């Protein structure tokens, strides 16, 4: 194994690490993607009102522990600051 092979191996390992840590190649969360859910119902719940769906990534979040934003009188629930900051409601 020469120096260029070692470099490629290290780059590949770093990419794999970040893909696992960030939830996939597109920076989503745990395999549910990182799409913008424009046009979707941002206030979906599981029926009992304890959970909502993050409008950015689609992750189901506990309303009690979610990061919230008030936009035009509506409450939006997010799984993390990154999703809350990227939302363009």
């Amino acid at each position: 194994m020469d120096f260029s092979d070692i470099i490629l191996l290290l780059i590949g390992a770093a990419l794999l690490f970040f893909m696992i840590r960030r939830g996939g190649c597109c920076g989503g969360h745990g395999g549910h993607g990182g799409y913008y859910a424009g046009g979707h119902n941002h206030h979906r719940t599981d029926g009992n009102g304890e959970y909502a769906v993050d409008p950015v990534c689609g992750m189901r979040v506990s309303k009690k522990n979610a990061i919230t934003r008030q936009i035009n009188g509506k409450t939006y629930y997010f799984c993390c600051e990154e999703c809350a900051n990227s939302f363009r409601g």
Side-chain angles (χ1 to χ4, degrees):
M1 198 179 253
D2 65 4
F3 184 71
S4 63
D5 291 335
I6 293 171
I7 295 297
L8 289 175
L9 184 63
L10 289 174
I11 291 171
L15 288 173
L16 181 62
F17 170 78
F18 286 112
M19 285 178 63
I20 290 170
R21 186 168 188 270
R22 300 285 295 166
C25 63
C26 298
H29 303 282
H32 60 258
Y35 65 93
Y36 172 74
H40 293 349
N41 179 359
H42 302 293
H43 302 288
R44 293 181 299 181
T45 66
D46 64 352
N48 65 10
E50 293 180 26
Y51 293 91
V53 176
D54 183 316
V56 175
C57 69
M59 183 175 186
R60 183 176 159 206
V61 295
S62 165
K63 286 184 174 182
K64 171 170 56 170
N65 298 320
I67 294 163
T68 60
R69 295 288 190 270
Q70 292 285 327
I71 302 172
N72 297 324
K74 295 179 185 175
T75 302
Y76 294 88
Y77 299 89
F78 302 93
C79 66
C80 64
E81 284 289 337
E82 182 178 327
C83 283
N85 292 337
S86 69
F87 183 62
R88 306 282 183 241

